Amino acid sequence: MAMVSTYCPQFSGLRRSCPKLDNSQSQCFVQHINSQLRLSSSSRKPCRAVVAMAGSGKFFVGGNWKCNGTKDSITKLVSDLNSAKLESDVDVVVAPPFVYLDLVKASLTDRIEVSAQNSWVGKGGAFTGEISVEQIKDLGCKWVILGHSERRHIIGEDDQFIGKKAAYALSEGLGVIACIGELLEEREAGKTFDVCFQQLKAFADAVPSWDNIVIAYEPVWAIGTGKVATPEQAQEVHVALRDWLKKNVSEEVASKTRIIYGGSVNGGNCVELAKKEDIDGFLVGGASLKGPEFATIVNSVTAKKVAA
Ligand code: PGA
């Protein structure tokens, strides 16, 4: 899109200054600004509100329930989510354990999409214990989480295998929440960017299109530890990832692809994280098991809205 080539990051609070625009460029620039403006439906203030996002994608919040829950607790969680008041300007997705996907899909409001937590690398068949993309789709799920650190580091999935899974899921029409992130020792050794770029490259090498991918940056040291990355730490990596996409894929993909943060996000820290312009949402583990707290995290999108 021509619009992308005249992308002026400064408008939405990015680091670079805006180049001088000629006439046709300024027309595109205006279109771009319009696409960046989102009127706040919930705000009663008379002034307009602007979404401070470096990317152009809609805020995205996923709840990863992992290997938690029983029929009873999941029924309660679904009922809490069904009655929660959620801001409209957010894509909301939850990922229950496989065995409860059908139950959740059948009882959860259509406002919230359902994701699987993993999928088999190709077409289903004689693969004992695996769940195929076809089966996930058959239940009405729209997304799958791939490359989660618990699968990389506990189960031992490698970059190439994860890339193949992503390519297959996308080819069958599922959206992919593509997780990447460094271990504590890698951060301490100054390798955060190298590790994240390598994991991102494995996805980039495998997938034909980025239309249906959300990137989840999840530093492993922050997952389930209560040690959340500071907003500055997260923002620093998100900017670098967007720049990597710009240089290695395209400017359009860099702008459109949501880069969400995961790792000890909760109702208390989500607002400060959401204010960072390259943080396009969250992937939430522990706190997504509590309906009201998950709703608070979804609604942190309002922190993106600043008086114009
Ligand atoms: P956490 O998990 O929020 O419990 O840290 C995040 C994730 O693993 O996606």
Side-chain angles (χ1 to χ4, degrees):
M1 280 195 296
M3 189 175 93
V4 173
S5 63
T6 59
Y7 178 60
C8 176
Q10 197 176 45
F11 176 75
S12 51
L14 267 186
R15 313 153 298 285
R16 290 173 229 96
S17 60
C18 189
K20 209 159 171 277
L21 304 174
D22 67 21
N23 255 356
S24 66
Q25 282 177 319
S26 30
Q27 228 179 358
C28 295
F29 173 64
V30 169
Q31 283 168 8
H32 175 70
I33 285 185
N34 286 339
S35 79
Q36 291 280 299
L37 282 175
R38 311 249 173 99
L39 297 182
S40 163
S41 52
S42 58
S43 168
R44 290 208 205 106
K45 286 190 204 150
C47 64
R48 281 184 320 183
V50 173
V51 176
M53 289 173 87
S56 56
K58 194 173 177 182
F59 204 68
F60 183 107
V61 177
N64 176 8
W65 298 355
K66 307 193 181 184
C67 188
N68 290 296
T70 59
K71 268 196 279 185
D72 280 355
S73 70
I74 281 177
T75 303
K76 161 92 170 63
L77 180 50
V78 166
S79 139
D80 287 348
L81 290 173
N82 286 345
S83 57
K85 218 183 144 300
L86 303 176
E87 289 286 324
S88 59
D89 211 8
V90 188
D91 284 337
V92 186
V93 175
V94 293
F98 281 123
V99 287
Y100 301 119
L101 278 179
D102 211 9
L103 166 74
V104 172
K105 186 61 200 153
S107 52
L108 185 66
T109 165
D110 288 345
R111 167 72 185 86
I112 303 177
E113 296 285 5
V114 179
S115 171
Q117 296 177 16
N118 182 31
S119 59
W120 177 237
V121 68
K123 196 171 158 47
F127 305 104
T128 303
E130 289 295 331
I131 311 286
S132 74
V133 168
E134 292 79 9
Q135 290 165 332
I136 293 166
K137 275 174 36 184
D138 189 34
L139 295 184
C141 300
K142 296 280 180 346
W143 291 90
V144 61
I145 298 173
L146 294 174
H148 191 278
S149 71
E150 285 146 18
R151 297 209 63 86
R152 290 178 187 270
H153 300 294
I154 302 174
I155 315 290
E157 292 187 10
D158 68 19
D159 282 349
Q160 279 63 41
F161 189 58
I162 295 162
K164 266 194 201 164
K165 285 185 173 195
Y168 188 73
L170 290 169
S171 76
E172 289 294 307
L174 277 188
V176 170
I177 301 170
C179 303
I180 60 174
E182 81 287 0
L183 296 162
L184 181 60
E185 55 264 36
E186 291 166 339
R187 173 163 282 263
E188 286 173 349
K191 291 187 183 151
T192 298
F193 289 166
D194 290 347
V195 170
C196 290
F197 294 163
Q198 185 193 315
Q199 293 175 355
L200 189 54
K201 183 174 185 304
F203 281 113
D205 287 348
V207 304
S209 153
W210 285 80
D211 285 349
N212 225 355
I213 303 180
V214 169
I215 297 168
Y217 167 59
E218 301 201 296
V220 182
W221 47 271
I223 295 179
T225 58
K227 255 181 88 179
V228 66
T230 64
E232 291 69 31
Q233 282 174 322
Q235 168 67 14
E236 185 186 29
V237 178
H238 284 226
V239 171
L241 295 173
R242 207 180 296 284
D243 280 351
W244 190 94
L245 286 176
K246 196 169 152 192
K247 289 190 191 112
N248 296 281
V249 184
S250 73
E251 210 163 326
E252 184 182 357
V253 165
S255 168
K256 279 194 335 199
T257 304
R258 273 83 58 93
I259 306 176
I260 63 176
Y261 168 80
S264 295
V265 175
N266 61 35
N269 59 31
C270 56
V271 165
E272 289 310 308
L273 286 159
K275 282 182 188 165
K276 292 295 181 190
E277 59 267 33
D278 283 277
I279 297 183
D280 302 327
F282 301 112
L283 185 57
V284 188
S288 72
L289 298 170
K290 297 171 211 144
E293 185 165 8
F294 185 64
T296 300
I297 297 168
V298 169
N299 293 338
S300 68
V301 68
T302 53
K304 290 278 185 215
K305 296 171 184 167
V306 293

